[in-house]
Amino acid sequence: MKKVFMLVDCNNFFVSCERVFNPKLRSVPTVVLSNNEACVIARSNEAKDIGIKMAEPVFKCRDILNFFDVKCFSTNFALYGDLSSRVMRILESFSPKVESYSVDEAFLDITDLEEANYFDFGKAVGDRVYKYVGIPVSVGIAPTKTLAKIASKQAKRSGGVCVLLEGVNTVLKATPVGEVWGIGWASTKKLRQNSVHTAYDFVNQKPSWIVNRFGVGGARTYWELKGKSVSEVNNAKALPKSMAHTRSFKNPITEKSEMRKRLVNFASSVAAALRADNLLCHEVIVFLKGDKNRDVYYSNGVTLPLENYSNLRTDIVKLVGKGLDRLFKSGERYKRAGIVAINIISSKDNNSLFENNTKRKEVAERAVDLLNAKWGRTITVASDMLVKPEKTFSRSPEFTTKWQELALVF
Ligand SMILES: [Mg+2]
């Protein structure tokens, strides 16, 4: 049976989250900046219109930001994450088959719905999300996930819902090949060199030509664009291959003790991220990178095993010292470092013999996670303490996850 997919994509998600509790921002150019405020990671339509580019470094567009009085926000992931899960819960009330593909996008399998209802259904979903959460969405409906992605982009231009079952070729002709889901920057370059500029040009190549140059991934995209679905809506979350906390340093690090502090902090975040997703890891990579501008560029990493599968801060932090002893060279100026957890399993699948002891420790660490999530970072392990980078832009309150930051109405 022919399948039908619906993609629900939150418009300018982070900016829309900021606007939910701050309606004055509506119709005002607004952007959200990355964690360290280095670049723009979300833009309102008004900000797009005045020419601010995605991922543009702040120092490059500072003049435009000032000139147009663009409202700038530091990321507030607690707020975005909470609103995202509210959106997902609403989508789950419409279909049992929902795949939350990213923080602001989800695929729904709507094969069982009657065709005549597609548009109205899409509209009802969008209306309910907006009414209950306050986030505007675009809805694309099509026979494959890749086409549903294209349809949702069309929906942004045409007011909310686009059903792409007929007239597909016209839309493919208007879609630059680089905008197709799954076709990356390098492939786009290669395709353009072969005079393939639009999605329509792409599907008019021979399948063998695609496979030879772009492998199985290319073939999947090809068939999906032709309307033949090769992927399902996947309710189960795929296990991540790795979980990492890495940073570039504005000022190079030269002291081992300073590097240890940073890495302990990264290890602590990786452990918390594993616990948050009920995952365990068995190996940890510690890496250090030097200054690329130096004559001899030092970059090295080491993979260290854990005794058992673990998501405990105490276990992962222990490896920092081992890694540093093997990697750290004095006299080097380090510009980047990180901790990457690999060999990951779900905690459900853990049959460790040492479970009891580990379980007890995990309960303790989870209690700290919970308190920190509820009351902000109130509990900090002594060795985690670090001077926070200076923030220049404001973060909005955590309206939905912290009692002391609730919005007040007078
Ligand atoms: Mg989006």
Side-chain angles (χ1 to χ4, degrees):
M1 191 169 89
K2 237 186 158 176
K3 293 214 158 259
V4 184
F5 296 89
M6 177 162 118
L7 178 73
V8 179
D9 181 9
C10 300
N11 299 343
N12 315 329
F13 182 56
F14 296 166
V15 166
S16 296
C17 290
E18 296 293 345
R19 285 177 168 174
V20 169
F21 289 94
N22 194 347
K24 277 190 199 146
L25 296 174
R26 286 180 198 165
S27 73
V28 174
T30 307
V31 297
V32 174
L33 307 173
S34 63
N35 236 342
N36 46 7
E37 295 176 348
C39 53
V40 173
I41 55 167
R43 305 161 296 160
S44 69
N45 287 346
E46 301 77 16
K48 289 176 189 173
D49 289 345
I50 58 178
I52 296 167
K53 305 264 178 320
M54 189 59 173
E56 188 159 35
V58 170
F59 72 86
K60 272 196 182 167
C61 56
R62 195 176 286 278
D63 288 346
I64 309 183
L65 295 175
N66 289 339
F67 184 80
F68 288 98
D69 193 20
V70 176
K71 300 288 172 255
C72 300
F73 287 88
S74 210
T75 47
N76 183 350
F77 285 124
L79 177 68
Y80 311 153
D82 185 59
L83 294 185
S84 166
S85 62
R86 288 175 194 221
V87 171
M88 298 304 164
R89 254 177 280 149
I90 290 169
L91 299 182
E92 280 157 10
S93 72
F94 281 99
S95 166
K97 288 187 198 160
V98 178
E99 175 184 343
S100 99
Y101 173 70
S102 70
V103 68
D104 72 331
E105 279 171 80
F107 287 105
L108 280 72
D109 185 329
I110 56 163
T111 305
D112 296 336
L113 207 71
E114 285 202 28
E115 187 167 339
N117 292 334
Y118 289 145
F119 186 88
D120 292 344
F121 185 72
K123 186 95 181 51
V125 171
D127 287 350
R128 195 182 294 177
V129 170
Y130 190 70
K131 190 173 171 194
Y132 288 11
V133 194
I135 301 283
V137 299
S138 300
V139 178
I141 295 171
T144 70
K145 280 181 166 180
T146 308
L147 287 172
K149 273 275 209 184
I150 291 177
S152 80
K153 283 219 174 103
Q154 292 286 311
K156 270 194 185 112
R157 287 164 208 147
S158 65
V161 182
C162 169
V163 181
L164 187 57
L165 296 172
E166 282 159 15
V168 176
N169 281 345
T170 318
V171 175
L172 294 186
K173 277 178 193 166
T175 304
V177 75
E179 278 185 19
V180 174
W181 187 39
I183 298 185
W185 175 82
S187 305
T188 305
K189 205 172 145 197
K190 206 149 94 175
L191 285 162
R192 286 213 193 109
Q193 283 162 359
N194 286 282
S195 304
V196 177
H197 297 285
T198 66
Y200 184 75
D201 297 337
F202 188 83
V203 293
N204 276 299
Q205 303 303 315
K206 283 204 179 96
S208 57
W209 187 89
I210 303 278
V211 175
N212 287 338
R213 283 161 186 81
F214 304 100
V216 183
R220 292 173 74 90
T221 304
Y222 175 85
W223 289 114
E224 288 249 317
L225 286 174
K226 286 217 153 212
K228 191 173 178 310
S229 172
V230 293
S231 54
E232 302 281 325
V233 166
N234 194 354
N235 296 44
K237 244 184 153 185
L239 284 181
K241 290 222 173 353
S242 64
M243 273 195 150
H245 192 107
T246 69
R247 278 283 175 280
S248 293
F249 311 119
K250 200 169 157 203
N251 303 314
I253 291 179
T254 52
E255 297 294 323
K256 194 172 178 184
S257 58
E258 177 62 21
M259 185 58 91
R260 186 187 306 272
K261 269 205 271 180
R262 303 283 178 141
L263 288 175
V264 163
N265 201 265
F266 297 172
S268 201
S269 321
V270 167
L274 287 167
R275 287 194 297 278
D277 286 349
N278 293 315
L279 301 169
L280 303 161
C281 75
H282 203 253
E283 285 177 303
V284 172
I285 299 172
V286 181
F287 76 81
L288 303 178
K289 286 177 192 279
D291 191 339
K292 275 193 179 149
N293 298 325
R294 286 190 125 191
D295 296 342
V296 186
Y297 170 52
Y298 178 78
S299 168
N300 204 356
V302 57
T303 305
L304 300 163
L306 286 156
E307 229 167 275
N308 300 297
Y309 278 99
S310 175
N311 55 19
L312 293 180
R313 181 191 174 281
T314 41
D315 289 344
I316 296 174
V317 162
K318 253 187 234 162
L319 300 179
V320 166
K322 276 191 197 170
L324 259 188
D325 288 344
R326 305 239 309 249
L327 297 173
F328 195 90
K329 291 206 299 193
S330 48
E332 195 55 63
R333 295 159 58 78
Y334 292 100
K335 292 281 279 185
R336 192 171 173 80
I339 299 284
V340 188
I342 55 168
N343 202 341
I344 290 174
I345 60 165
S346 156
S347 23
K348 288 200 301 285
D349 303 329
N350 185 32
N351 302 313
S352 167
L353 287 169
F354 306 95
E355 207 174 344
N356 274 341
N357 191 20
T358 311
K359 267 262 138 55
R360 229 175 294 136
K361 283 192 200 155
E362 188 179 337
V363 168
E365 293 199 4
R366 276 183 186 279
V368 175
D369 293 343
L370 211 69
L371 288 167
N372 280 341
K374 197 158 182 169
W375 303 105
R377 263 182 84 81
T378 45
I379 300 179
T380 313
V381 181
S383 53
D384 279 2
M385 279 204 268
L386 265 184
V387 186
K388 286 245 165 79
E390 231 175 84
K391 298 260 174 186
T392 38
F393 296 101
S394 64
R395 172 184 66 75
S396 50
E398 285 177 32
F399 293 107
T400 58
T401 48
K402 264 195 202 167
W403 285 111
Q404 66 271 46
E405 294 189 11
L406 276 182
L408 299 176
V409 181
F410 296 103

